Amino acid sequence: MSREERIARNEALFREVNEQIKDVNDDVPAGSEAGFVCECGDPECTSTVSLTLVEYEEVRSEPTHFAVLPGHVVPDVEVVVARNERFAVVRKNEPQAARIAVREDPRS
């Protein structure tokens, strides 16, 4: 398995966990922050990232987008498309990683 494929699979797994976290938090007011798993490609990362449910839905609107903590970006596999003080939104720019992200999207 290539490094890019491993990173994409890790991020897809974290995204699935976050879908379950989102379901648990569905009754939280839309502007309130909830703790989600950092969707970076590091399999050892256990950090949480705070997003509102609206922010989370914005990230999930694109299957190649993931929410990561600042400093958790892998520049040769992804590009930052948005950021704030709490998190960055990255898009898979490496073709194999992008295909995996789309294929593994639980909302597809």
Side-chain angles (χ1 to χ4, degrees), residues 3 7 14-15 17 24 41-44 52 56 60 63 65 68 70 79 81 85-86 90 92-93 96 103 105 107:
R3 175 178 169 270
I7 289 169
F14 294 149
R15 176 174 56 194
V17 171
V24 169
D42 180 358
E44 303 298 316
T52 66
Y56 181 76
R60 288 287 79 84
H65 288 188
V68 302
V79 61
V81 295
E85 65 282 349
R86 291 176 284 123
V90 296
K92 298 286 139 229
N93 64 355
Q96 183 178 7
R103 183 180 70 226
D105 183 8
R107 294 188 176 191

Side-chain angles (χ1 to χ4, degrees), residues 14-30:
F14 294 149
R15 176 174 56 194
E16 283 189 39
V17 171
N18 282 339
E19 282 292 285
Q20 294 174 15
I21 292 171
K22 184 244 176 219
D23 289 345
V24 169
N25 286 292
D26 267 345
D27 59 344
V28 173

Side-chain angles (χ1 to χ4, degrees), residues 71-82:
H72 289 217
V73 177
V74 183
D76 60 320
V77 179
E78 56 204 15
V79 61
V80 175
V81 295

